[in-house]
């Protein structure tokens, strides 16, 4: 019985981890993209690059900082939507402390 309960719990955890939804923001208005992210907390947006034809671009976009992992911060990003070229959304990124270090200590005088 313990084995069955453990297997059921592991199955539920695995199912939840793969439950993130994927959308094409170019088929949605900017308001719809933002409301979808707000409703689901985190989604994957996938669309075609404008600079390199045929290149798919995608990333995970989040509602708030709580959807980022430890060591990441929520940063503003922009995706194309059906009604605008730059729909403001948020994703999670690791801070680039190395770039800040180089700019601060190795700038040209």
């Amino acid at each position: 019985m313990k084995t069955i309960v453990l297997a059921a719990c592991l199955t539920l955890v695995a199912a939840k981890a793969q439950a993130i939804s994927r959308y094409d923001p170019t088929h949605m208005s900017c308001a719809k993209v933002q409301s979808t992210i707000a409703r689901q907390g985190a989604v994957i947006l996938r669309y075609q690059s404008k600079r390199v034809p045929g290149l798919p671009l995608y990333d995970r976009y989040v509602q708030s900082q709580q959807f980022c992992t430890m060591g990441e911060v929520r940063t503003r990003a922009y995706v194309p939507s059906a009604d605008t070229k730059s729909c403001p959304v948020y994703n999670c990124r690791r801070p680039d402390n190395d770039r800040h270090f180089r700019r601060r200590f190795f700038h040209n005088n």
Side-chain angles (χ1 to χ4, degrees), residues 97-109:
N97 295 330
D98 186 48
R99 187 179 80 201
H100 176 70
F101 175 81
R102 280 183 275 144
R103 185 177 19 171
R104 185 172 176 193
F105 292 104
F106 296 110
H107 66 279
N108 295 331
N109 291 332

Side-chain angles (χ1 to χ4, degrees), residues 78-97:
Y78 297 90
V79 297
S81 65
D83 60 346
T84 183
K85 291 182 182 179
S86 298
C87 180
V89 292
Y90 293 95
N91 61 8
C92 299
R93 294 279 181 236
R94 291 202 174 275
D96 190 4
N97 295 330

Side-chain angles (χ1 to χ4, degrees), residues 25-44:
T26 61
H27 293 111
M28 305 163 70
S29 69
C30 183
K32 181 71 172 173
V33 170
Q34 292 170 337
S35 68
T36 300
I37 294 170
R39 186 178 65 253
Q40 295 190 13
V43 299
I44 293 176

Side-chain angles (χ1 to χ4, degrees), residues 3-41:
T3 305
I4 293 172
V5 171
L6 180 61
C9 289
L10 291 175
T11 302
L12 289 174
V13 170
K16 185 176 181 181
Q18 295 193 11
I20 190 164
S21 299
R22 293 164 175 81
Y23 298 96
D24 183 347
T26 61
H27 293 111
M28 305 163 70
S29 69
C30 183
K32 181 71 172 173
V33 170
Q34 292 170 337
S35 68
T36 300
I37 294 170
R39 186 178 65 253
Q40 295 190 13

